[in-house]
Amino acid sequence: MLKKYIITIILFSLKNFASADETYVNCVNKNLDWKWLRDSQNNYVKVVGYWKTQWLTPDHIFSYFELSDGLEGYNKLKEMCIKKFGEQFSILQPADHFYSLWHPFFVDNQYFVNGRISVYQFSSQDSLFLNNYSTFSNPNFEFLSLFQLGKMCEGVIDNCITE
């Protein structure tokens, strides 16, 4: 059990040290096609915030990006994505590079934003592997608390659906 926590601390500490407190924005559609958000000068749009991690269950952990500009900043970014790529690209995901995993935005210190999430799962041998889960499939919810996110993930995690 101790090995599991040491691996987790090392894994996510390295990510936090390697990543500045800024990241880029992907505009994503429901088919998971994505495009980098760029400004009017064709520069990649960067956002300021903090990379953080959260335990979803005793065996599942994920990372998210807490947006410093909160809901207001998120809504401005969403408007930019829709204006540039159309209504279908209204899902925003933070990303440091082309090979970034799926992480949600977190706003106003309380809500995860509609998106896709990559969850790390510990096996019984204290090794770590990655599962990708579609967590926000209900179009009636754009913002979820950690409790609501956990409830939506329960069935998916219990069935160990991987991609």
Side-chain angles (χ1 to χ4, degrees), residues 99-158:
Y99 297 105
S100 288
L101 300 174
W102 296 105
H103 306 288
F105 276 111
F106 187 70
V107 295
D108 292 347
N109 204 29
Q110 59 185 338
Y111 296 114
F112 292 96
V113 180
N114 185 5
R116 187 164 175 84
I117 185 172
S118 297
V119 177
Y120 291 92
Q121 179 180 355
F122 291 94
S123 72
S124 58
Q125 293 81 24
D126 283 338
S127 59
L128 190 65
F129 63 94
L130 177 69
N131 285 331
N132 284 319
Y133 298 109
S134 290
T135 56
F136 302 103
S137 57
N138 188 335
N140 298 322
F141 296 108
E142 184 170 4
F143 304 99
L144 296 175
S145 67
L146 180 61
F147 175 77
Q148 292 167 315
L149 175 65
K151 285 294 182 190
M152 288 187 79
C153 290
E154 275 179 0
V156 178
I157 289 174
D158 290 343

Side-chain angles (χ1 to χ4, degrees), residues 9 13 17 28 35 53 71 77 81 84 96 101 110 115-116 120 128 136 156 159:
I9 290 169
S13 294
F17 288 129
V28 184
K35 300 178 182 193
T53 57
L71 183 57
L77 293 167
C81 281
K84 192 155 186 88
D96 284 338
L101 300 174
Q110 59 185 338
R116 187 164 175 84
Y120 291 92
L128 190 65
F136 302 103
V156 178
N159 293 328

Side-chain angles (χ1 to χ4, degrees), residues 4-157:
K4 174 168 65 170
Y5 293 108
I6 292 171
I7 291 170
T8 303
I9 290 169
I10 292 170
L11 176 71
F12 290 105
S13 294
L14 291 175
K15 178 178 179 31
N16 288 338
F17 288 129
S19 302
D21 290 329
E22 63 182 16
T23 194
Y24 301 99
V25 178
N26 279 328
C27 305
V28 184
N29 68 17
K30 291 183 181 183
N31 296 326
L32 302 181
D33 300 318
W34 57 270
K35 300 178 182 193
W36 292 109
L37 181 59
R38 295 177 187 236
D39 63 18
S40 57
Q41 281 75 46
N42 208 30
N43 296 314
Y44 293 102
V45 172
K46 289 183 183 179
V47 292
V48 177
Y50 301 95
W51 282 107
K52 296 185 176 184
T53 57
Q54 178 67 49
W55 287 96
L56 200 51
T57 72
D59 294 322
H60 297 85
I61 192 169
F62 69 97
S63 293
Y64 61 93
F65 191 81
E66 185 171 354
L67 193 59
S68 291
D69 289 339
L71 183 57
E72 183 178 331
Y74 171 81
N75 285 331
K76 287 179 184 177
L77 293 167
K78 185 174 178 178
E79 286 175 23
M80 290 174 67
C81 281
I82 291 171
K83 183 177 179 182
K84 192 155 186 88
F85 304 116
E87 188 72 37
Q88 67 272 19
F89 283 89
S90 62
I91 300 169
L92 279 63
Q93 301 271 176
D96 284 338
H97 48 76
F98 181 83
Y99 297 105
S100 288
L101 300 174
W102 296 105
H103 306 288
F105 276 111
F106 187 70
V107 295
D108 292 347
N109 204 29
Q110 59 185 338
Y111 296 114
F112 292 96
V113 180
N114 185 5
R116 187 164 175 84
I117 185 172
S118 297
V119 177
Y120 291 92
Q121 179 180 355
F122 291 94
S123 72
S124 58
Q125 293 81 24
D126 283 338
S127 59
L128 190 65
F129 63 94
L130 177 69
N131 285 331
N132 284 319
Y133 298 109
S134 290
T135 56
F136 302 103
S137 57
N138 188 335
N140 298 322
F141 296 108
E142 184 170 4
F143 304 99
L144 296 175
S145 67
L146 180 61
F147 175 77
Q148 292 167 315
L149 175 65
K151 285 294 182 190
M152 288 187 79
C153 290
E154 275 179 0
V156 178
I157 289 174

